[in-house]
Amino acid sequence: MISVEKYEGLTARIAILNEEIKRQDVEFYLFVPGELDFSKNVLSEDDFYNTVLSNTRTYFTSQYHLPLVHSRLASRDKLPSDKYRVSLSLYAYQYSLSLEKTTHRFFDSLKDLEEEDAVEQLEVITDMAVEILRRLRRYKPKDDSLIKYFNNIDNYLSWLTEQRFLSLVAHMPRSAAFKPIREQLIKFCESEAAYRLAQNYNSLKAQNDPTRMVNKMRLARRLIEYPVTIRQNDVVLGQTLNKIAKGTATGLVMIFVTIAIIRMRSFLGEITLSFVLAMAGLYALREIFKDDLRDVLWRWIRKGRPKWRKLFTDPTSGQRIGNQLEWLDYIPFDKIPDDVRKVRRGKLRQREESVVRIKMVTQMSTTKFLSGYDMTREVWRVDFRPFSRLMARGKQRFYTLNEGKVTQESIDKRHQFNLISKQKNQDGSMTLQRWKITVNRSKVVDVEEVFG
């Protein structure tokens, strides 16, 4: 399962759910608009990988009741503290993701919803959040070593829920239909603020300083993610092959230079000015062609081979639980697979676009996963800032005629990227998905999945 959504600013987020399988093959094809004149000369493959892409991987579970079961066991002193912490962190992490995603989607779809449907969605969001927090607080541990950890998570989830609900209140329409749900959300936020005050979760300085409070909660979020985030060690492949390519290129060039020197010595005789100038010319040619020959050999040796490997380690046990091989290259239009080209459509525009292919082959040892968890969630962040620098500045004027009067608007220039995923299923079949990513110079404007 793959999903794509806009994130912060010029960033889009790709989420890949590894569902109880040991091996997963995924390819992504990013189609860059031709008007940006983007190529490997602008950003090399290695620079693209290191500046545009970043990723994290966490444990994930569809058994949402599991952390609550662990909470009950912990309250009865029947669960080790490390397992309880990981379980509670995963529960808080998944709740935070769900709440953020749900509110973002509500904002995006608000203009297309009828008032009754919008109010109904808000009621569902509110009821679910209230119920989740209620269940969490029902099983408060008794062990002193766990209560501090529980308080940190409870404090963060209370604050996050309040912030997301206040953002809903700030952006919802002011019509009478939304008045009851607005009052309900405000009442809930007031109760959560009073709850944190009663529990003495935050100091008076933090309560009176928004910057300090936000920084504290950002740290709390990192503490929540830490036990469930799988450690990964990035390894650049081909270092030995690169040295072989350099040595081979140098050796071939030196063979040519040596033969040329012997021929010149027999032709020119003793060391003269002509001989010295010829030698200087040979060594100049050597320096010119050595690097070119090395690059040609390196591209030939590296073609089709993975360029990076990620080694995954369980954060709790320290055991190796899997690895991932990764490829990244710029490919011409003629090399795009037929099924991907069919999904992309728009042949004329497609021929003008630059295409970046990213491939990942993941192998995981699910038997070494943390007990109770059988899948992981990988998140790739795509930073569009290198592309935004290639976008033209300024706005376009748009004129309309309304009752005999001409009005004008400033329209920002936008560019549409296409992202296609190709995922191999267990039965050998392929699942292809396509998204349109609209970007301007300052942000990712919209992400839309294209069906059919």
Side-chain angles (χ1 to χ4, degrees), residues 111-270:
K111 59 183 178 182
D112 301 323
L113 291 174
E114 298 290 339
E115 287 189 346
E116 292 182 0
D117 295 334
V119 171
E120 184 178 352
Q121 283 193 19
L122 284 171
E123 290 176 347
V124 171
I125 294 172
T126 305
D127 293 342
M128 290 182 63
V130 171
E131 179 64 16
I132 289 172
L133 291 178
R134 184 185 65 81
R135 288 186 179 184
L136 175 70
R137 292 163 184 170
R138 182 194 300 173
Y139 303 111
K140 190 172 184 178
K142 299 177 181 179
D143 190 346
D144 292 339
S145 63
L146 301 179
I147 191 65
K148 184 177 180 180
Y149 193 77
F150 173 87
N151 289 342
N152 286 334
I153 287 182
D154 188 30
N155 183 28
Y156 174 76
L157 294 185
S158 173
W159 178 84
L160 177 67
T161 307
E162 177 192 309
Q163 290 297 305
R164 300 312 303 170
F165 282 6
L166 288 177
S167 69
L168 290 173
V169 173
H171 293 91
M172 72 173 56
R174 299 298 176 181
S175 61
F178 288 90
K179 185 177 180 181
I181 188 64
R182 184 186 296 110
E183 293 176 351
Q184 181 181 346
L185 290 173
I186 292 175
K187 184 178 180 181
F188 174 81
C189 292
E190 290 174 345
S191 66
E192 285 301 307
Y195 171 79
R196 295 195 302 274
L197 188 63
Q199 298 295 323
N200 198 26
Y201 280 159
N202 304 297
S203 65
L204 186 61
K205 287 185 178 180
Q207 295 176 39
N208 295 330
D209 188 347
T211 302
R212 188 166 182 167
M213 179 63 76
V214 170
N215 288 333
K216 177 180 179 179
M217 294 304 169
R218 188 170 64 241
L219 177 60
R221 177 65 173 260
R222 290 184 62 186
L223 293 175
I224 289 173
E225 294 178 356
Y226 184 83
V228 298
T229 301
I230 296 172
R231 308 291 175 263
Q232 61 184 34
N233 181 28
D234 296 345
V235 179
V236 179
L237 300 178
Q239 300 285 359
T240 302
L241 291 176
N242 192 12
K243 293 178 182 178
I244 293 174
K246 289 181 180 179
T248 303
T250 302
L252 291 174
V253 171
M254 286 305 298
I255 290 174
F256 169 78
V257 171
T258 303
I259 293 173
I261 290 174
I262 294 173
R263 291 290 183 90
M264 283 192 305
R265 182 66 184 271
S266 62
F267 180 75
L268 296 175
E270 297 298 328

Side-chain angles (χ1 to χ4, degrees), residues 251-312:
L252 291 174
V253 171
M254 286 305 298
I255 290 174
F256 169 78
V257 171
T258 303
I259 293 173
I261 290 174
I262 294 173
R263 291 290 183 90
M264 283 192 305
R265 182 66 184 271
S266 62
F267 180 75
L268 296 175
E270 297 298 328
I271 298 177
T272 61
L273 180 61
S274 300
F275 181 80
V276 172
L277 292 175
M279 285 286 294
L282 281 175
Y283 278 101
L285 290 174
R286 186 196 72 166
E287 293 302 318
I288 293 173
F289 290 106
K290 183 182 70 174
D291 292 339
D292 291 340
L293 182 59
R294 183 196 64 191
D295 293 340
V296 170
L297 286 173
W298 177 230
R299 285 196 297 269
W300 178 75
I301 292 174
R302 202 180 189 188
K303 185 177 181 181
R305 296 177 179 270
K307 298 176 181 178
W308 300 275
R309 175 188 282 122
K310 285 186 170 68
L311 305 177
F312 301 123

Side-chain angles (χ1 to χ4, degrees), residues 1-2 40 45 49 101 116 122 161 164 215 219 223 302-303 308 325 332 391 412 418 422 431:
M1 180 180 177
I2 300 175
K40 64 172 63 178
E45 295 167 351
Y49 181 85
K101 185 178 295 186
E116 292 182 0
L122 284 171
T161 307
R164 300 312 303 170
N215 288 333
L219 177 60
L223 293 175
R302 202 180 189 188
K303 185 177 181 181
W308 300 275
L325 296 175
M391 298 177 185
D412 59 340
N418 278 267
K422 183 178 179 181
T431 299

